């Protein structure tokens, strides 16, 4: 990336990071949905996949807004390719997703697996909450009202996803995992209640 001279450059950098993060989440969620057993968990993850696709597009929209603002001083780049020149990869999200894949490859009772999937998904959400929260603050600081609003929208969706996961974990899944941990393998009949 070019030299960053101001907060707006840093905001664009953060947005490219978030675009990569959303992209990686879209790629990772299907395997998590597949591995999950609890129906509510599966549905929440499916729902968040749909939301995540919209969030990725929203990041593009925001970068376009920022690109247009540059039009006046001759720094406007052409198209989305220009916005993602260098295709910056979010290594933070790559690490979180790698850990998720690693834990999901372990042999586990299905209820324990659900608890592990929730934990991985919450790490993803927390990373995003941090990134979007920061980006929104930059946008506010810069007086970019529309950009701040769009970022706030995504931020709220990430909070919602996180809250839903907490609710699922506390209401049933962790308790079932506790049971699963005490029973011997092959006790599938105790599940599904
Ligand atoms: Fe997201
Ligand atoms: Fe990152
Ligand atoms: Zn998310």
């Amino acid at each position: 990336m070019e030299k960053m001279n101001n907060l707006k450059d840093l905001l664009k950098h953060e947005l490219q990071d978030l675009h990569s993060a959303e992209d990686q989440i879209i790629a990772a969620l299907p395997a998590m949905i597949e591995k999950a057993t609890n129906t509510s968990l599966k549905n929440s993850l499916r729902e968040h996949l749909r939301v995540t696709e919209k969030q990725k597009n929203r990041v593009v929209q925001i970068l376009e807004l920022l690109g247009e603002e540059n039009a006046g001083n001759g720094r406007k780049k052409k198209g989305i390719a220009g916005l993602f020149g260098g295709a910056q990869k979010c290594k933070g999200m790559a690490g979180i997703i790698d850990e998720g894949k690693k834990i999901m490859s372990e042999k586990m009772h299905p209820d324990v697996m659900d608890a592990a999937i929730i934990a991985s998904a919450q790490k993803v959400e927390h990373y995003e909450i941090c990134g979007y929260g920061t980006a929104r603050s930059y946008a506010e600081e810069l007086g970019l009202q529309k950009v701040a609003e769009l970022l706030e929208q995504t931020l709220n969706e990430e909070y919602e996803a996180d809250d839903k996961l907490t609710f699922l974990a506390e209401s049933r899944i962790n308790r079932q995992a506790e049971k699963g941990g005490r029973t011997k393998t092959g006790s599938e009949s105790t599940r599904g209640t």
Side-chain angles (χ1 to χ4, degrees):
M1 196 175 181
E2 287 166 46
K3 183 180 173 190
M4 288 183 262
N5 289 313
N6 52 43
L7 196 60
K8 195 166 170 184
D9 291 341
L10 192 58
L11 172 60
K12 285 184 196 172
H13 184 272
E14 187 64 36
L15 285 164
Q16 277 162 355
D17 192 74
L18 285 164
H19 183 271
S20 163
E22 298 291 15
D23 212 28
Q24 294 180 59
I25 296 162
I26 291 166
L29 272 171
M32 296 169 83
I33 294 165
E34 176 79 33
K35 280 263 184 182
T37 303
N38 181 279
T39 312
S40 307
L41 176 57
K42 261 188 194 292
N43 287 337
S44 290
L45 295 172
R46 275 198 199 104
E47 165 66 13
H48 197 58
L49 177 55
R50 278 191 293 274
V51 171
T52 302
E53 277 158 2
K54 286 191 195 136
Q55 292 174 339
K56 187 182 146 187
N57 293 334
R58 197 176 290 138
V59 174
V60 174
Q61 189 193 342
I62 295 166
L63 278 164
E64 282 172 343
L65 277 175
L66 290 169
E68 273 165 25
E69 293 222 330
N70 276 339
N73 46 41
R75 287 182 55 212
K76 188 179 163 82
K77 292 177 184 167
K78 289 179 198 89
I80 304 300
L83 296 176
F84 299 106
Q88 182 183 320
K89 180 167 182 175
C90 172
K91 289 183 183 167
M93 188 55 72
I96 290 170
I97 287 172
D98 268 0
E99 284 193 1
K101 280 186 186 156
K102 207 163 87 188
I103 193 88
M104 285 198 307
S105 73
E106 301 280 341
K107 275 190 188 155
M108 284 184 212
H109 185 285
D111 294 335
V112 180
M113 180 63 79
D114 280 354
I117 289 169
I118 290 182
S120 302
Q122 288 198 286
K123 285 175 188 167
V124 167
E125 296 315 323
H126 289 195
Y127 186 93
E128 291 188 287
I129 286 166
C130 180
Y132 280 107
T134 297
R136 187 213 38 197
S137 299
Y138 291 171
E140 274 171 3
E141 173 76 28
L142 290 161
L144 301 166
Q145 201 50 45
K146 178 69 185 164
V147 171
E149 272 169 31
L150 290 167
L151 289 169
E152 171 103 6
Q153 202 179 327
T154 298
L155 183 61
N156 287 336
E157 289 168 0
E158 308 295 13
Y159 273 124
E160 261 172 53
D162 186 47
D163 287 347
K164 213 180 285 171
L165 289 164
T166 298
F167 174 78
L168 286 172
E170 288 178 352
S171 62
R172 290 177 57 103
I173 291 174
N174 281 354
R175 247 175 291 146
Q176 284 182 335
E178 208 182 325
K179 268 193 281 173
R182 286 203 214 101
T183 49
K184 285 181 180 133
T185 45
S187 58
E188 298 299 297
S189 59
T190 59
R191 292 187 49 253
T193 49

